[in-house]
Structures are given as C-alpha cells and as structure tokens.
Amino acid sequence: MMARGARQTPPLHIRLAHSVAYWLMKSEPGECSIDDLVRLGQVPWVGVRNYQSRNFMRDEMRIGDGVLFYHSSCPEPGVAGLAEVSSAAYADATQFDRQSPYFDAKSSPDAPRWQHVDVRLVEKTELLSLAAMRERPELATMRVLQRGNRLSITPVTPAQWRAVKALLARAR
DNA sequence: GCCAACGTTGGC
DNA sequence: GCCAACGTTGGC
C-alpha cells in the first residue's frame, strides 16, 4: 500500500538483468551492530515497518546488491561496514509474534504485510562517521544526508558507492 | 531530553 | 478525500 496521495511512478531507470544496485541500510547497534553481523555472518533484516523501505526490499533488491551498513541512533552514527543482499524478500516472522516489538496485529499469514531480505557481511570497516560524510561534497546528494530523511533503507548511486569505498580505502 | 520532519490514523 | 492529531525517527 502506498501513502495516500502518493503517485504511482515508473522506475527511474530500467534495471539491467545482471547489474548491481547499492543501498544504505540503517541499524541501531543496540539492536544489531556490525559486530553482531561479523559474529553471525548474515542476518534477516526484520523489523522494517515502513512501506517505502519494504518496497525497496521486496521489489528492487537483488541478491548481490551492495549494502552500506549504517549505525543509527547511537553516539557515533555512520557507515560501519560493507555487506550485501543475500536473499530474495520473504515474510517477516516477527509481524506474527505477539511477544515481538515488531508484532503487527493487522497483518495475517495469508497476506503478510511485511517482508525483508537477508544481509550478509562483506567486511567491517573503519567507521565513516555521519559528520565525516557531511564534509564530503561528493556525498552531499546521499539520501541519508538529506534534511528530514528518516527512511531506514535508501538507494545509493554507483558514484556515491564508489566515493564511499574510496574514503574507506583511504581511512585504512 | 529536545524537537524537526515526516508517516499514519481516523473523524468528518 | 481532507487534514489535524498523534507517533516515530534520529541527529544533536
């Protein structure tokens, strides 16, 4: 379901069959940190309860897509590692779990409202802090840096991806 | 803890 | 279908 008043817009570009797309995915380290991902190798990206973010996972992500693993709502927000999409989207089990903070009484197993992908670690990196990102003109267009942005999953352009990788390489 | 920004809900 | 009220996000 789209937000009321939102227009159905066609994709901005046609995704080539074997092309890779890039994403930034926010996680609160208290919930799942980069060290948790290092330990587990892969995590189900459960708990997203926003339609736009869900749609990115459900409709646009492909296995192998690049992910900037971003720590949010913490003392030092920023990109903490690189990861990749490692599954197609599937139903989020937490929406049916009454004990879960992500329980959604309005969702039913016949028509699961929330879906998610799995995300696999590529590497933990030096933290590229939000403050450092804001200083870089080549990152100025990143969605995560835009005023008022609250989306937990945002697309990253190939140029932005390369720029982040270059900064991480330099920090090494 | 504050608060701006934005999404969602629900009365009408 | 409008829109005010409310809840959440997340940086600071």
Side-chain angles (χ1 to χ4, degrees):
Chain A
M1 188 188 308
M2 299 191 70
R4 215 164 295 169
R7 231 168 308 157
Q8 290 277 0
T9 52
L12 294 176
H13 60 278
I14 302 300
R15 176 96 181 261
L16 296 174
H18 302 291
S19 68
V20 177
Y22 304 100
W23 308 92
L24 182 143
M25 300 177 79
K26 294 180 186 172
S27 181
E28 300 187 15
E31 190 105 354
C32 177
S33 70
I34 189 68
D35 290 327
D36 292 324
L37 190 58
V38 168
R39 188 162 45 81
L40 298 168
Q42 170 169 308
V43 293
W45 207 264
V46 296
V48 169
R49 295 295 179 267
N50 168 280
Y51 291 109
Q52 264 184 276
S53 295
R54 179 206 65 182
N55 292 350
F56 284 141
M57 290 196 284
R58 189 190 62 185
D59 304 334
E60 300 199 33
M61 285 188 183
R62 300 288 181 269
I63 292 174
D65 279 0
V67 172
L68 301 176
F69 188 100
Y70 179 94
H71 281 171
S72 69
S73 290
C74 59
E76 267 206 299
V79 172
L82 302 174
E84 66 181 27
V85 175
S86 57
S87 81
Y90 58 101
D92 184 334
T94 64
Q95 70 196 306
F96 306 123
D97 176 4
R98 294 191 167 275
Q99 310 309 318
S100 169
Y102 303 124
F103 176 70
D104 183 352
K106 294 178 182 167
S107 186
S108 76
D110 324 346
R113 179 177 294 202
W114 305 110
Q115 294 171 54
H116 65 82
V117 298
D118 292 342
V119 170
R120 181 179 80 74
L121 177 76
V122 172
E123 62 171 326
K124 178 181 176 177
T125 64
E126 292 293 308
L127 185 82
L128 176 58
S129 73
L130 176 60
M133 293 172 76
R134 288 200 190 284
E135 288 175 3
R136 306 302 315 182
E138 66 270 33
L139 301 185
T141 56
M142 287 188 73
R143 291 274 292 270
V144 75
L145 301 184
Q146 305 313 304
R147 178 181 173 80
N149 168 72
R150 295 189 321 177
L151 271 188
S152 67
I153 299 177
T154 49
V156 170
T157 68
Q160 291 164 353
W161 175 265
R162 284 192 301 271
V164 168
K165 296 258 288 194
L167 290 170
L168 291 173
R170 198 193 304 181
R172 207 182 300 248

